[in-house]
Every structure is written in C-alpha cells, then in structure tokens.
Amino acid sequence: MKILFLFILIFHISHVNADEIYNLIKIPNLEIYKLKNDNNIRYLSTKGNFKIGVNKNIACDKVNINNLNSKFPLIEKNLNRYNSNFLNKIKLKYVVLCENLFISEINTGGIPDNKNRTLILDINFNKKYFERMIHHEIFHMIQNTHNKYFDEDKFSSFNPTSFNYAECSTCSNRLNLDLYKKTNGFLTEYSKSIPSEDMAEIFSFLMTDKKTIKDKIDNDKVLSNKVNFIKLNLAKIDKNIL
Amino acid sequence: MIKTIKPSKSEKILFLFLICLSIFAFTSFFLLKNKCLFVEKNNLTNLNFNETNNIVVMNVECGNVIIELYPDISPKTVERFKFLIEKKMYDGSTFYKVSENTFVQAGDIEYGNINNLDYSKIGSGKSGLGLLKSELNKDFKFTEGSVGFARTTEFDTEDSEFFITLKEIPIYQGEYTPVGRVVYGLDILTKIKTGNKAIYVLRPDYIKTFKLLSSN
C-alpha cells in the first residue's frame, strides 16, 4: 500500500502542470498576482512549489498569500522606479514571487532570466538586504542585455593588480552583504566574489543608498572609478534611472 | 399437455435487471464513448457570412470550426495563415499541445503531421517559408476562441504553429500575434484530446481539412 501511495505521489509530482502561464514563461504552478501596472510589469505568484532548470536545479515554494500581501508594496515600490521603456530594454516583464528560492541547493534572493523576460524573487529573503537585492538582480538583467557597456575586464582593471576575483560567485566564502566600514574598492564582501557581482552591488547601493556611496567614494579612488563606470554606462541605456 | 410455468416475482426482477444492464452496456460502448455525440457539427450550408474572404473552416473529428481572420490587425501573419491553408499544409496537423479548457495548439508542419509524427522534435518544426515578425496588438484581448500565432520564447519567431484559447487568457495580451477568432464551433475544440496533466498529447487529435470558405 505504501509503495502504491509513493508511486502515485511521484507520478503526480513528475508531471508538469501544463497551463497558459507555463506555456509563456516555462515556469509551472504560477497564477496572476497583479497584471496591470504603469511600467507593464506583470506580477505572478506561486500556487504550488516548482522546480525548473536543466537539472531541476532551481526550486521555489508556494507563497503564503498573507505573507505576499504584506511584502508586495515594498517590491512594487522598488520596481516602479524602472519605466516600461527601460524594462523593455533589459527584457523584464514578469516577476515571479515565491518563497525559499534555491539554485543548486544554495539559497538566493533572486534569479534573473532575460530569455523568458522573467525575474524570480524570494519574498522571504533577508529583510535587511531585501530592497537592495531587488536592484542587485535588476543589474544582472541590465548587464546580460548590455554586455558591451559593462565589460568585466575593463571594470576589473580599476582594482589593484594584486587583487583577484573568485572563479564564480559561490566558489568562495565571500558572501557577506554588509557594507564595509572601510571600503578599499569594494562595498561588501560579496563584491569581491566576481566582477558582475561587484557591479551589481554598486548599482544596488546607488539605487537604495546614494548618500552612502557619495560618502564612501570621497575617500576611495578605486570605488569612485567603479561608480563612475557604472553611472556612465547606465546613462547610455537610460539617463533617468539613477 | 404442457403446463405454462409463470415466472416468479424475483425472476421477473432479475430479468428486468438484465435488460437494464444490457442497455447500459450498449450505451456505454457505442453512445457515451462517442465524444462528439452532443456537439453541433456546424453544417456550412446553414451558415451565412457577409464577407467570406476572411473566413476559414477547420474540420476536426467532431465537426467544423469556423474562424474569422483579422488581416487588419496582423496582415503578414494572416497572409501566411491563408497561404498554409490554401496549400493544404495544415491538413493532418495534430493538436499536440493541449491544456484542458485552456488552449489547443497545432500547426507544426514538419514534425506534427499525423502521417509523419516525430514526438522527439514536435514543436520545433518549420514550414520552410521563413520566420515572421510578431504583429502584436496591445489592445487585442485573448478571450475565449481567440486564435493566435505561436512562437518560441523570442519574439519574431512565428512560423506556422497557431493556438486557440478556450478561455480568456489576459496574460497573452500583447504577447502573441492575434490571427482571428472562432465564430462557430468552440465546443468542438473542447472535445480535442488532452494530455491529462502533461502539456504534450500522445496519439493526438488532428485537423482533417483546413479550407478557405471562399474555396468551398
């Protein structure tokens, strides 16, 4: 009996719940949360857990609607800072809101997918960094769509020659997101992981805490160069974002 | 002299039960099994249209589905759709992607024909006519019976595949090129075989013929 029950369970889990939203953005178990917005972003929420990716390495859970309702205004407020024209340029239309987002068993705040014009956000991500995380992930979408403006070699050349980034963003233990008191070219420990994370960290601070950036770059030439690089190239896409 | 033996009350009940059982078995096998039984066939001789140039007739297992095309909204796509119909390239095309009461999709010319079905490649076939640019319309609402041209995750990749919505799908507005709308026979489409919970259908239903009404 137990084996039969297990078989039925596996059978049901392994089936993709085919629906109109899956057909569009290839993520199952979603429903519309908010469709009409000034900047044309369409918010979707999870009505069930999902696993996607080549090896089903991306997983996220169903949202608790009360939890989502309480966090949505903050998410919307931050994403409303991007106009529809800019969002078109960075290929973002769908924001999937779920809980406990994991990629290859590592908890993450967001996963951008330019191909499907989708950003998956974990609404349970650490409150302290939540707003910054949203803009951090947006930067990845900006970089993915405008690679020529955010050349990583050029950006890395601002660092002292003795410094080396890690092989990948999770290949090192440089994961802390707290702001350094003494920056020395890097805003957070995570900035030291790889160039794109370094850029994303700068962008996220520029969007949420401009004053801190202004204070830090006064005494940090490397950081100042990096910030200018980001600002200058962002202006090529949209002059009004920062 | 042979004496007539009258059946007892219980024998009469048993006899009646057996008759009922045979009627039930007959209905189950021959009538209820026929999914098209209570579907209106849409006989073309009984239907009148003012303008027949943009009316197409898709014949499937349960009858005719009549679609009005919208060349004013998507001229290039409608032109492609009509061309494929005229050349009979949709004849035999399977509804390989069906989401119950949501949408049906057909039109893979290369790998989706009932006579040449390739399950490993279905959905990636080409018509050989090249890709079309998406003709999106932000005001077109994909209500029940809307016909749209399918694409890959990228825009401007429309070729020959099309879908018909079986309910209103607001999220498709501005996402897919609208081609037209079903004017008769939506109930016929709801009878098309689904893949249960899976999006792809094994041994799918197919389009028997697809014609322009003006060519009839």
Side-chain angles (χ1 to χ4, degrees), chain B residues 41-168:
Chain B
K41 302 286 184 287
N42 294 318
N43 191 338
L44 292 175
T45 51
N46 301 334
L47 301 172
N48 289 315
F49 298 96
N50 292 332
E51 176 66 63
T52 57
N53 283 342
N54 290 311
I55 302 290
V56 290
V57 183
M58 179 172 70
N59 183 261
V60 294
E61 190 183 348
C62 290
N64 290 323
V65 178
I66 292 118
I67 298 166
E68 182 183 2
L69 304 177
Y70 298 150
D72 294 342
I73 296 177
S74 52
K76 294 278 176 200
T77 314
V78 168
E79 189 186 19
R80 167 70 61 91
F81 197 52
K82 284 166 100 172
F83 180 84
L84 293 165
I85 292 169
E86 278 178 319
K87 297 288 172 194
K88 300 186 187 303
M89 289 168 89
Y90 283 133
D91 294 7
S93 186
T94 55
F95 291 99
Y96 75 92
K97 199 194 246 186
V98 180
S99 182
E100 194 170 7
N101 297 322
T102 306
F103 67 86
V104 296
Q105 186 168 323
D108 183 335
I109 307 287
E110 197 174 4
Y111 303 120
N113 194 283
I114 193 71
N115 300 315
N116 186 28
L117 207 54
D118 187 336
Y119 288 112
S120 64
K121 293 177 182 169
I122 203 160
S124 64
K126 301 278 181 287
S127 67
L129 300 168
L131 300 180
L132 287 170
K133 278 203 172 294
S134 302
E135 293 179 297
L136 305 176
N137 184 301
K138 63 180 173 60
D139 298 322
F140 184 91
K141 288 182 177 165
F142 280 85
T143 54
E144 199 182 34
S146 300
V147 185
F149 241 39
R151 56 168 174 80
T152 67
T153 51
E154 302 282 326
F155 289 111
D156 305 331
T157 54
E158 288 83 348
D159 188 344
S160 61
E161 287 196 47
F162 65 95
F163 64 86
I164 304 173
T165 56
L166 304 179
K167 67 170 188 182
E168 184 172 7

Side-chain angles (χ1 to χ4, degrees), chain A:
Chain A
M1 190 63 190
K2 275 182 184 172
I3 292 169
L4 180 70
F5 178 72
L6 196 67
F7 177 77
I8 292 168
L9 195 70
I10 291 167
F11 186 77
H12 274 271
I13 289 168
S14 62
H15 263 102
V16 166
N17 196 1
D19 59 23
E20 65 274 23
I21 302 178
Y22 177 81
N23 197 40
L24 190 64
I25 61 169
K26 310 299 174 218
I27 302 176
N29 298 332
L30 299 182
E31 60 190 356
I32 293 167
Y33 183 74
K34 192 173 180 217
L35 207 57
K36 290 206 160 71
N37 297 286
D38 287 343
N39 59 2
N40 292 331
I41 281 189
R42 292 169 168 184
Y43 294 96
L44 307 168
S45 61
T46 41
K47 59 183 176 185
N49 304 348
F50 70 75
K51 278 187 177 182
I52 52 168
V54 182
N55 299 313
K56 305 270 179 215
N57 62 332
I58 297 170
C60 206
D61 296 341
K62 176 185 175 174
V63 283
N64 173 302
I65 198 68
N66 295 327
N67 186 20
L68 177 56
N69 288 343
S70 69
K71 287 170 180 169
F72 183 71
L74 189 67
I75 297 166
E76 193 178 36
K77 185 194 91 180
N78 280 280
L79 288 171
N80 277 349
R81 297 182 62 189
Y82 304 99
N83 61 61
S84 62
N85 189 34
F86 180 75
L87 293 170
N88 269 340
K89 287 179 185 172
I90 67 166
K91 293 193 172 179
L92 175 59
K93 182 139 191 178
Y94 298 98
V95 174
V96 173
L97 306 164
C98 59
E99 294 188 21
N100 312 320
L101 178 61
F102 281 82
I103 179 162
S104 302
E105 298 180 355
I106 298 167
N107 186 215
T108 184
I111 298 175
D113 175 6
N114 296 83
K115 198 181 168 195
N116 287 310
R117 295 172 297 143
T118 303
L119 173 63
I120 307 172
L121 291 178
D122 180 355
I123 64 165
N124 285 347
F125 193 71
N126 193 328
K127 255 186 192 172
K128 192 176 166 189
Y129 315 113
F130 190 74
E131 288 184 81
R132 212 153 61 66
M133 177 274 289
I134 294 173
H135 301 289
H136 178 108
E137 299 305 334
I138 292 283
F139 181 81
H140 287 310
M141 300 196 85
I142 297 171
Q143 195 192 9
N144 290 343
T145 47
H146 298 83
N147 226 343
K148 61 178 179 180
Y149 295 151
F150 300 98
D151 182 77
E152 296 191 356
D153 290 337
K154 199 171 177 185
F155 180 81
S156 303
S157 69
F158 296 126
N159 291 320
T161 47
S162 58
F163 176 80
N164 288 313
Y165 287 108
E167 288 291 310
C168 71
S169 61
T170 51
C171 296
S172 71
N173 54 3
R174 302 166 185 171
L175 298 170
N176 197 309
L177 297 171
D178 287 326
L179 178 70
Y180 278 135
K181 278 184 183 159
K182 196 164 169 44
T183 49
N184 285 329
F186 300 94
L187 286 167
T188 66
E189 189 184 58
Y190 195 47
S191 302
K192 292 179 176 176
S193 60
I194 53 171
S196 67
E197 300 299 355
D198 196 357
M199 287 190 241
E201 282 293 85
I202 291 170
F203 177 76
S204 70
F205 273 99
L206 281 170
M207 291 300 288
T208 55
D209 194 358
K210 251 185 191 168
K211 191 182 173 301
T212 297
I213 292 273
K214 198 172 178 298
D215 293 345
K216 296 284 182 191
I217 59 173
D218 285 343
N219 305 308
D220 188 334
K221 184 72 184 150
V222 174
L223 188 62
S224 175
N225 286 336
K226 288 179 177 178
V227 169
N228 285 336
F229 175 85
I230 300 289
K231 280 182 171 178
L232 192 77
N233 287 296
L234 265 172
K236 291 175 187 169
I237 305 167
D238 191 317
K239 284 177 182 161
N240 302 316
I241 290 300
L242 289 174

